[in-house]
Amino acid sequence: MPLTLKNNLQIGGEGVILRHADAWNELCDRSGVAPFHRPEWILSYLRCFERDPQIALLTVTSAEKLVGVLPLLSKRSWYAGVPVTVLSGPANAHSVRFDLITAPDVSPEAVGALMWAQLKQTQGWDILALPVFPERGACDRMIALAATEKYHTLKFLFQECPVLHLQANSQGKLDPLAGTSRHFRHELRRFARLLEEETGYPPRLVCHNEPDAHSMERFYQLEAAGWKGEEGSAIACNPQTRRFYDTIAEEGSRRGYFCLHTLETNGTLAAAAFSVKTDRCFSPMKIAYNEALRRGGPGQLLFNGILQECAERQIPEFFFGGTKDRYKTSWTEETLPHFNGFIFRPTARGGLAYHSRTKILSPLGRLRRRIKTWNEARGTKQQRKPEPDQKRTA
């Protein structure tokens, strides 16, 4: 399909996104992408985590139809001790994933190349910062393209996210347990027995497709009651973060991709998951479990129940997200790495920021890690050094 650029870069406030929201959502529907890339998701991030954002929206059209979109923020910031102007993807860890979105009938490489050509011609920025993008995604390819053109680039691993592709069993039906070990399947049955013994009732999975205030509050309280609340990372610990999840729940419910699963037993909330879903993928964004019931493995029983629902609904992918934790790798060893990447424009500040990061800060960081490792090894060695034998006396 021939590609033509039209109004390919617009700068302004929220109106820039709102003007394209319908076409943008239609593009997401055609592409089958996760909800993380939708305009209401980007707007929720901006309203909760940014103050007076200046938005730079890159679009590619073909025959008057939107076939590519990349939202960016223009902001003054510091990088490696250098004051710079950054074009940054509007995303953080709560966004789960960020990437350039393209239509299924066009080449992602071609769309990315057109956008990169426009960015090179655009004045007023020093660094292009692309956060939380998946390996081999469109943003990953844009950084690789810039590197071939001798631009300075950096890419850092953000998270290795476990992902489960449901396999078919001998009957040809999707089975989330098909790739698991016999020991793990035995553990799931044991967890169910233990949880029933502790509470007096078998666990029951409940799916809420509407974010009613009572269910949401129970979820937030359960998450804050554990270690996340102690370290201050629970949703309820930060008003902006809670507002983000409340907004996502409302918008997702309206568009049909939000769900909140709760594992109930004898009136007690044993575990819960705040998730988004499509016909292709299920993504639990936040998981919480009752730590007083940990012997009964409520989190794993919650996953098992949700995965059984995915199999029944023919949803083939379960994106655990987050870090490569043991309770996730019990289900799958496959991961999808996500990165934070940077392209440095050959301006005075862009070049200085790159060299400050690579020639000064990175070597200092490596030196600090070596010293720390050496001190830890030295301390361990001294602790293990045996006491000298006492001289025998006659």
Side-chain angles (χ1 to χ4, degrees), residues 165-179 308 311 314:
H165 289 96
L166 276 66
Q167 303 176 23
N169 58 21
S170 56
Q171 287 76 39
K173 297 181 179 180
L174 292 181
D175 183 359
L177 296 173
Q308 295 299 333
Q314 296 294 301

Side-chain angles (χ1 to χ4, degrees), residues 342-361:
F342 303 87
I343 301 174
F344 298 82
R345 196 157 174 259
T347 61
R349 290 181 177 181
L352 182 60
Y354 173 78
H355 289 293
S356 176
R357 178 69 173 84
T358 58
K359 304 300 185 184
I360 300 175
L361 295 186

Side-chain angles (χ1 to χ4, degrees), residues 286-392:
K286 288 290 182 178
I287 303 293
Y289 71 95
N290 189 327
E291 295 186 3
L293 301 174
R294 63 165 61 91
R295 288 183 64 248
Q300 294 291 41
L301 293 177
L302 175 72
F303 279 144
N304 187 42
I306 297 175
L307 280 163
Q308 295 299 333
E309 280 192 6
C310 290
E312 292 172 4
R313 297 178 181 180
Q314 296 294 301
I315 299 176
E317 182 177 317
F318 192 88
F319 181 73
F320 284 94
T323 54
K324 192 178 178 181
D325 301 306
R326 184 178 178 182
Y327 71 92
K328 300 173 186 176
T329 56
S330 299
W331 293 92
T332 177
E333 295 182 357
E334 183 180 356
T335 61
L336 178 60
H338 285 61
F339 297 88
N340 292 329
F342 303 87
I343 301 174
F344 298 82
R345 196 157 174 259
T347 61
R349 290 181 177 181
L352 182 60
Y354 173 78
H355 289 293
S356 176
R357 178 69 173 84
T358 58
K359 304 300 185 184
I360 300 175
L361 295 186
S362 291
L364 285 176
R366 289 193 292 269
L367 178 60
R368 284 196 298 268
R369 288 192 292 273
R370 286 198 205 99
I371 293 173
K372 181 180 178 181
T373 302
W374 181 80
N375 285 333
E376 290 174 348
R378 185 167 178 265
T380 301
K381 184 177 180 180
Q382 288 180 341
Q383 290 176 4
R384 293 180 178 177
K385 185 176 181 180
E387 293 293 329
D389 295 336
Q390 294 182 353
K391 292 183 179 180
R392 294 183 178 182

Side-chain angles (χ1 to χ4, degrees), residues 27-46:
L27 172 62
C28 290
D29 290 339
R30 283 188 288 140
S31 303
V33 295
F36 321 131
H37 310 291
R38 289 186 174 273
E40 69 270 13
W41 198 286
I42 302 300
L43 284 171
S44 297
Y45 169 87
L46 295 174

Side-chain angles (χ1 to χ4, degrees), residues 114-297:
L114 286 171
M115 289 186 174
W116 172 236
Q118 177 61 37
L119 284 170
K120 289 189 296 183
Q121 298 172 10
T122 302
Q123 302 297 314
W125 63 275
D126 303 300
I127 299 175
L128 175 63
L130 299 171
V132 202
F133 60 83
E135 187 176 46
R136 298 183 298 276
C139 283
D140 201 2
R141 288 191 285 266
M142 184 181 289
I143 290 175
L145 175 61
T148 64
E149 297 178 358
K150 307 306 181 183
Y151 279 74
H152 291 310
T153 64
L154 292 173
K155 189 171 78 170
F156 304 102
L157 179 66
F158 177 69
Q159 287 177 332
E160 274 197 272
C161 303
V163 57
L164 171 64
H165 289 96
L166 276 66
Q167 303 176 23
N169 58 21
S170 56
Q171 287 76 39
K173 297 181 179 180
L174 292 181
D175 183 359
L177 296 173
T180 60
S181 68
R182 175 184 292 183
H183 172 73
F184 179 65
R185 295 191 294 273
H186 169 76
E187 284 294 285
L188 287 176
R189 294 190 293 271
R190 187 175 70 86
F191 286 151
R193 290 195 301 269
L194 285 173
L195 196 57
E196 183 173 355
E197 289 173 3
E198 289 193 31
T199 63
Y201 286 83
R204 179 173 61 95
L205 186 69
V206 181
C207 181
H208 310 262
N209 292 312
E210 301 288 336
D212 64 277
H214 177 67
S215 298
M216 294 292 290
E217 187 60 35
R218 291 179 75 205
F219 166 69
Y220 290 143
Q221 289 180 4
L222 179 65
E223 191 200 29
W227 62 268
K228 291 182 181 179
E230 293 176 359
E231 71 172 19
S233 63
I235 294 171
C237 294
N238 186 293
Q240 288 79 21
T241 303
R242 172 154 182 172
R243 183 186 172 199
F244 176 75
Y245 282 89
D246 284 342
T247 304
I248 291 301
E250 293 171 4
E251 291 287 346
S253 176
R254 185 169 64 86
R255 292 191 172 274
Y257 58 73
F258 163 79
C259 59
L260 176 70
H261 283 90
T262 56
L263 190 69
E264 313 272 352
T265 174
N266 195 16
T268 299
L269 184 58
F274 182 112
S275 310
V276 295
K277 64 183 186 298
T278 67
D279 292 339
R280 301 183 184 181
C281 183
F282 190 98
S283 304
M285 292 176 59
K286 288 290 182 178
I287 303 293
Y289 71 95
N290 189 327
E291 295 186 3
L293 301 174
R294 63 165 61 91
R295 288 183 64 248

